[in-house]
Amino acid sequence: MKAARPRVYVSRRFHFSAAHRVYNPAWSDEKNAEVFGLCSHPAGHGHNYELEVVIAGTPDPDTGYVMDIARLRDLVEGKVIRVLDHRNLNTDVPFLSGQIPSSENLIVALWNQIQPLLPEGVELVELRLWETPRNCFVYYGETS
Amino acid sequence: MKAARPRVYVSRRFHFSAAHRVYNPAWSDEKNAEVFGLCSHPAGHGHNYELEVVIAGTPDPDTGYVMDIARLRDLVEGKVIRVLDHRNLNTDVPFLSGQIPSSENLIVALWNQIQPLLPEGVELVELRLWETPRNCFVYYGETS
Amino acid sequence: MKAARPRVYVSRRFHFSAAHRVYNPAWSDEKNAEVFGLCSHPAGHGHNYELEVVIAGTPDPDTGYVMDIARLRDLVEGKVIRVLDHRNLNTDVPFLSGQIPSSENLIVALWNQIQPLLPEGVELVELRLWETPRNCFVYYGETS
Amino acid sequence: MKAARPRVYVSRRFHFSAAHRVYNPAWSDEKNAEVFGLCSHPAGHGHNYELEVVIAGTPDPDTGYVMDIARLRDLVEGKVIRVLDHRNLNTDVPFLSGQIPSSENLIVALWNQIQPLLPEGVELVELRLWETPRNCFVYYGETS
Amino acid sequence: MKAARPRVYVSRRFHFSAAHRVYNPAWSDEKNAEVFGLCSHPAGHGHNYELEVVIAGTPDPDTGYVMDIARLRDLVEGKVIRVLDHRNLNTDVPFLSGQIPSSENLIVALWNQIQPLLPEGVELVELRLWETPRNCFVYYGETS
Amino acid sequence: MKAARPRVYVSRRFHFSAAHRVYNPAWSDEKNAEVFGLCSHPAGHGHNYELEVVIAGTPDPDTGYVMDIARLRDLVEGKVIRVLDHRNLNTDVPFLSGQIPSSENLIVALWNQIQPLLPEGVELVELRLWETPRNCFVYYGETS
């Protein structure tokens, strides 16, 4: 009989700087300006994004770790942040190709990039993305 | 058949400065001082409140937005923050009238003010109110 | 018949500075260095920990409080923070004795220290522990 | 012959919550409203103030300290912060009596309170007062 | 004979989001990549800039203000931030035209935009520009 | 005749986690406890230190940079932060050997490590070291 073990959540925060322009290519410039306002200026603008990746699991009795947070950091930085940092989200990021780079679409795409990187027994449970210190987007992998 | 669509949470943080005095008018000054301590000084004190409003929904395929965060900002600032900012919570805010202005009561009252402002298809799921950087109050609309 | 009353979450953030060394005493220094890297340097290192304690309950109609946050502060500071602050987590803290002082193990041990301190009708629902501004650990009292 | 010794600056940050109303009692309510706007609402408003006290001196060779920062903390908290915290700056603080409680006047008054508290050989060189995270006031004891 | 009056510094922090690409148009793409690295990606990247504007003067005895901080806010937001926010610094900002949009050049250009806006008796003494939370640039109007 | 060129200050913030014990080895444990209190616990404690390195110079007309901030980051991280991070300041850091590891002594030692790393034409003008978010130490290379 296995004793119940605590389930602990571990999160690491990442940083990247990127440009984007929010617009729908199927629409005219006028309609884009009307719907998206400042966010649709043709030459784009940018942000310092902060991304928090939250995983969950039970601590390994030999290490006290759910997952070595340095390993989580290296995986996400090497495979995901490196592709986004100092880039233009409209043109430079393969996994955003063909999508409006709103933070809603970005966070769902990030989920699909990060989930396959995690080792067995470790669950991706939440992504939290700040576009500015006042605007934040959260995704738990839910659909409706 | 409709494909499952992701459910994303979007939050915006607001700021207001207000005075309050925590006391129960049914009690004597002595009993108020005994129960509420510093928070019950007769001439009041104040805080820089931070309020985070969290909504949820599915991103619109045409815009990539759950709801334009600029519209959320304008609604909450115009209808709610404007009524609280640089005011006294004991005397100046109609929707707090007759209530002890604890942060617990304030956050429940804010829920009732903000929920009717949201457009169809967008759900208010969480309010988070910081009274100081160390004291935070959260409400999900739950009762018990 | 009792009317439904709102359930509100109240949190207070605490601070302590401590040293620790993450290592498994059953292993050689080489194996510890291989598994834990920098975190296992023999003379230890340290952090400014931030701990957020989240409780939940219904506001008392007489006070507007779930629990006086000053009382929560005094209880946790007097019974828990005082034991950790400016200490070495490997050698100085009775309730961590015999455990690897990873943040995962620390947060579960903190739950067991804080839960019995709370008055009736107030529930401990979440602990949130920052080891650095980028590394955070969360525990809801769950087992799996 | 004494060797040159380094001059080091040491600062400690304090926190207090207070109410105030910015108005000139020599003016009518109309003129106050016209000049001070929101800041002059009759029932007042409030802030979480942050105060940074900066001292300078040469580290004592026996302790490595300019001044024990715990002693600086206790002096300023005991003699100054305690008088301001959870108070109304217009009515409750003796050393502000008869002054408009603007942050400019407050910071000059704080200088006069804090300077006499410091031991010999330690110089008060700067006060920094945040009224909100975006509004900051600084005083170096200069006149012009 | 006029009594000495205190000289107080007042600062306000502003926020804008912009895209830029750091490159020298006189150089080849290869040389730009070699010198500027990630910062020179052709499609640009972006930041959430924070700008702190510091002015100095003596508080007016009638108001207790060096300058009404709400007026400072409105002037700088209306004349300067509005021109930068949600724009591309390489192509959209007239006062940066013909310059490499490094933060060093941006801060000097901002000084020249903000100084003429201030009323008599109020001095611009410092600009502080954060490109990211870790990278900051400061200008006091000095030349060498 | 050379035109006057602007002098701009550039700063980069670094992070390291370390253990220390503040005590004077020439004193008894009792005297150390009396003078240093909590900071002198025999098994040590630790902090997340933040270090801000401020340099000054004139922007190069070809790059718009005083010094490429990525080069400053790599120099200071490679030569200084790497030696401090996840270490014990009493025993592991050659350039602190024989000194009480107070933050005052640490910041002066850091100045001597960082100054020789800078290229010609770039001046080290300020170091700013946070031991906790509330305790900060500043050094400008001054002696008295």
Side-chain angles (χ1 to χ4, degrees):
Chain A
M1 205 187 79
K2 239 176 77 183
R5 288 195 298 158
R7 177 174 165 87
V8 180
Y9 297 75
V10 177
S11 81
R12 172 79 189 174
R13 200 183 265 236
F14 300 88
H15 180 91
F16 60 95
S17 296
H20 76 159
R21 178 196 174 193
V22 185
Y23 78 113
N24 184 333
W27 292 346
S28 66
D29 272 9
E30 290 70 29
K31 172 130 195 209
N32 273 297
E34 190 193 309
V35 173
F36 294 113
L38 291 177
C39 295
S40 198
H41 277 147
H45 62 284
H47 297 293
N48 299 324
Y49 292 90
E50 292 272 325
L51 174 68
E52 192 172 337
V53 176
V54 189
I55 61 172
T58 57
D60 180 326
D62 282 343
T63 61
Y65 285 170
V66 167
M67 174 185 179
D68 185 350
I69 212 166
R71 191 175 156 214
L72 175 63
R73 179 196 64 203
D74 292 348
L75 278 171
V76 176
E77 280 193 348
K79 302 286 189 188
V80 179
I81 301 300
R82 201 154 296 179
V83 180
L84 295 163
D85 191 30
H86 282 76
R87 300 286 173 170
N88 184 310
L89 304 183
N90 296 77
T91 60
D92 297 345
V93 181
F95 65 78
L96 291 174
S97 166
Q99 294 196 58
I100 300 174
S102 69
S103 288
E104 286 92 334
N105 286 344
L106 174 55
I107 203 172
V108 175
L110 284 167
W111 183 278
N112 295 330
Q113 297 300 307
I114 293 170
Q115 199 179 41
L117 303 176
L118 299 179
E120 219 192 294
V122 172
E123 217 183 314
L124 179 62
V125 291
E126 180 181 345
L127 293 181
R128 196 168 274 269
L129 179 72
W130 286 265
E131 193 183 76
T132 73
R134 298 207 162 267
N135 291 0
C136 182
F137 301 79
V138 187
Y139 187 52
Y140 299 96
E142 296 170 312
T143 51
S144 62
Chain B
M1 204 188 76
K2 236 176 78 183
R5 287 194 298 159
R7 177 174 165 86
V8 179
Y9 298 74
V10 177
S11 81
R12 171 78 189 175
R13 201 183 264 236
F14 301 88
H15 180 91
F16 61 95
S17 297
H20 76 157
R21 178 195 174 194
V22 185
Y23 77 113
N24 184 333
W27 293 346
S28 66
D29 271 9
E30 290 69 29
K31 173 131 195 208
N32 273 297
E34 191 193 309
V35 173
F36 295 114
L38 291 176
C39 295
S40 198
H41 277 147
H45 62 284
H47 296 294
N48 299 325
Y49 292 89
E50 293 271 325
L51 173 69
E52 192 172 340
V53 176
V54 190
I55 60 172
T58 57
D60 180 325
D62 282 343
T63 60
Y65 284 170
V66 167
M67 173 185 179
D68 185 350
I69 212 167
R71 191 174 156 216
L72 175 63
R73 179 197 65 203
D74 291 348
L75 277 172
V76 177
E77 280 193 347
K79 302 286 190 189
V80 180
I81 301 300
R82 199 153 298 178
V83 180
L84 295 163
D85 191 30
H86 282 75
R87 300 287 172 170
N88 184 310
L89 304 183
N90 297 77
T91 60
D92 297 345
V93 181
F95 66 78
L96 291 173
S97 167
Q99 295 197 59
I100 300 174
S102 69
S103 289
E104 286 91 333
N105 287 344
L106 175 54
I107 203 172
V108 175
L110 284 167
W111 184 279
N112 295 332
Q113 297 300 308
I114 293 169
Q115 199 178 40
L117 303 176
L118 299 178
E120 219 192 295
V122 173
E123 215 183 314
L124 179 62
V125 291
E126 180 180 345
L127 293 181
R128 196 167 273 270
L129 178 72
W130 287 264
E131 193 182 76
T132 72
R134 299 209 160 265
N135 292 0
C136 182
F137 301 80
V138 188
Y139 187 51
Y140 299 97
E142 295 171 313
T143 52
S144 64
Chain C
M1 204 188 77
K2 239 176 76 183
R5 288 194 296 158
R7 177 175 164 87
V8 180
Y9 298 74
V10 177
S11 82
R12 171 81 190 174
R13 201 183 265 234
F14 300 88
H15 180 90
F16 61 95
S17 296
H20 76 158
R21 177 196 175 192
V22 185
Y23 79 114
N24 184 333
W27 292 346
S28 66
D29 271 10
E30 290 70 30
K31 173 131 194 209
N32 273 297
E34 191 193 309
V35 172
F36 295 113
L38 291 177
C39 296
S40 199
H41 277 147
H45 63 283
H47 297 293
N48 299 324
Y49 292 90
E50 292 272 325
L51 173 69
E52 192 172 338
V53 176
V54 190
I55 60 172
T58 57
D60 180 325
D62 282 343
T63 61
Y65 284 170
V66 167
M67 174 186 180
D68 185 349
I69 212 167
R71 191 175 156 213
L72 175 63
R73 180 197 64 203
D74 292 346
L75 278 171
V76 176
E77 281 194 346
K79 303 286 189 189
V80 180
I81 301 299
R82 200 154 298 179
V83 181
L84 295 163
D85 192 30
H86 282 76
R87 300 286 172 170
N88 184 310
L89 303 182
N90 296 76
T91 61
D92 296 345
V93 181
F95 65 78
L96 291 173
S97 166
Q99 295 197 59
I100 300 174
S102 70
S103 288
E104 285 91 333
N105 286 345
L106 175 54
I107 203 172
V108 175
L110 284 168
W111 184 278
N112 295 331
Q113 296 299 307
I114 293 169
Q115 199 179 40
L117 304 176
L118 298 179
E120 220 192 293
V122 172
E123 217 183 314
L124 179 61
V125 291
E126 180 180 345
L127 293 181
R128 196 167 272 270
L129 178 72
W130 286 264
E131 193 182 76
T132 72
R134 299 209 161 264
N135 292 0
C136 182
F137 302 79
V138 188
Y139 187 52
Y140 299 97
E142 295 170 312
T143 51
S144 64
Chain D
M1 205 186 77
K2 242 176 75 184
R5 288 194 297 158
R7 177 175 164 85
V8 179
Y9 297 74
V10 177
S11 82
R12 171 79 190 174
R13 201 183 264 235
F14 301 89
H15 180 91
F16 61 95
S17 297
H20 77 157
R21 179 197 173 192
V22 186
Y23 78 114
N24 184 332
W27 292 346
S28 66
D29 271 9
E30 290 70 29
K31 174 130 194 211
N32 272 298
E34 190 193 310
V35 173
F36 295 113
L38 290 177
C39 295
S40 199
H41 278 146
H45 62 285
H47 297 293
N48 299 326
Y49 292 89
E50 291 272 326
L51 174 68
E52 192 172 338
V53 176
V54 190
I55 60 172
T58 56
D60 181 323
D62 282 343
T63 60
Y65 284 170
V66 166
M67 174 183 178
D68 185 350
I69 213 167
R71 192 175 153 213
L72 175 64
R73 180 197 62 203
D74 292 346
L75 278 171
V76 176
E77 279 192 348
K79 303 285 189 190
V80 180
I81 301 301
R82 200 153 298 177
V83 180
L84 295 163
D85 191 29
H86 282 76
R87 300 286 172 169
N88 184 310
L89 304 183
N90 296 77
T91 60
D92 296 344
V93 181
F95 65 79
L96 291 174
S97 167
Q99 295 196 59
I100 299 174
S102 69
S103 288
E104 286 92 333
N105 287 345
L106 175 55
I107 202 172
V108 175
L110 284 168
W111 184 278
N112 296 331
Q113 297 300 307
I114 294 170
Q115 198 178 41
L117 303 177
L118 299 178
E120 220 194 293
V122 172
E123 217 183 314
L124 180 61
V125 292
E126 181 179 344
L127 293 181
R128 197 167 272 271
L129 179 72
W130 285 264
E131 193 182 77
T132 72
R134 300 209 161 265
N135 292 0
C136 182
F137 301 80
V138 188
Y139 187 52
Y140 299 96
E142 296 170 312
T143 51
S144 65
Chain E
M1 208 187 73
K2 237 175 80 184
R5 287 194 298 158
R7 177 175 165 86
V8 179
Y9 297 74
V10 177
S11 81
R12 172 79 189 174
R13 200 183 264 236
F14 300 89
H15 180 92
F16 61 95
S17 297
H20 76 157
R21 179 197 174 192
V22 186
Y23 78 113
N24 184 332
W27 292 346
S28 66
D29 271 10
E30 289 71 27
K31 173 131 194 208
N32 273 298
E34 190 193 309
V35 172
F36 294 113
L38 290 178
C39 295
S40 199
H41 278 148
H45 63 284
H47 297 292
N48 299 325
Y49 292 90
E50 292 273 325
L51 174 68
E52 192 172 338
V53 176
V54 190
I55 60 172
T58 57
D60 180 324
D62 282 344
T63 61
Y65 284 170
V66 167
M67 173 184 180
D68 183 350
I69 212 167
R71 191 175 155 214
L72 175 63
R73 180 197 64 203
D74 292 346
L75 278 171
V76 176
E77 280 193 346
K79 303 286 189 188
V80 180
I81 300 301
R82 200 153 298 179
V83 180
L84 296 162
D85 191 30
H86 282 77
R87 299 287 173 169
N88 184 311
L89 303 184
N90 296 77
T91 60
D92 296 344
V93 181
F95 66 77
L96 290 174
S97 167
Q99 294 196 60
I100 299 174
S102 69
S103 288
E104 287 91 333
N105 287 345
L106 175 55
I107 202 172
V108 175
L110 284 168
W111 184 277
N112 295 332
Q113 297 300 306
I114 293 170
Q115 199 179 42
L117 302 177
L118 298 178
E120 220 193 294
V122 172
E123 218 182 313
L124 179 62
V125 292
E126 180 180 343
L127 292 181
R128 195 168 273 271
L129 178 72
W130 285 265
E131 193 182 76
T132 72
R134 300 208 160 265
N135 291 0
C136 182
F137 301 80
V138 188
Y139 187 51
Y140 299 97
E142 297 171 311
T143 51
S144 64
Chain F
M1 207 186 75
K2 237 175 77 183
R5 287 194 297 159
R7 176 174 166 86
V8 180
Y9 298 74
V10 177
S11 82
R12 171 79 188 174
R13 200 183 265 236
F14 300 88
H15 180 91
F16 61 95
S17 297
H20 77 157
R21 179 197 173 191
V22 185
Y23 78 113
N24 184 332
W27 292 346
S28 67
D29 272 9
E30 290 70 28
K31 173 132 195 209
N32 272 299
E34 191 195 309
V35 173
F36 295 113
L38 290 177
C39 295
S40 199
H41 276 147
H45 63 283
H47 297 294
N48 299 324
Y49 292 90
E50 291 273 324
L51 174 69
E52 192 172 337
V53 176
V54 190
I55 61 172
T58 56
D60 180 324
D62 282 344
T63 60
Y65 283 170
V66 166
M67 175 184 178
D68 184 349
I69 212 167
R71 192 175 154 215
L72 175 64
R73 180 197 63 203
D74 292 347
L75 278 172
V76 176
E77 280 193 347
K79 303 285 189 190
V80 180
I81 301 301
R82 199 153 299 178
V83 180
L84 295 163
D85 192 29
H86 282 77
R87 300 286 172 168
N88 184 311
L89 303 183
N90 297 77
T91 59
D92 297 344
V93 181
F95 66 78
L96 291 173
S97 168
Q99 295 197 58
I100 299 173
S102 69
S103 288
E104 287 91 333
N105 286 344
L106 174 55
I107 202 172
V108 175
L110 284 167
W111 184 278
N112 295 331
Q113 297 300 307
I114 294 170
Q115 199 179 41
L117 303 177
L118 299 179
E120 221 193 293
V122 172
E123 216 183 314
L124 179 62
V125 292
E126 180 180 344
L127 293 181
R128 196 168 273 270
L129 178 72
W130 286 263
E131 193 181 76
T132 72
R134 300 209 161 264
N135 291 0
C136 181
F137 301 80
V138 188
Y139 187 51
Y140 299 97
E142 295 170 312
T143 52
S144 64

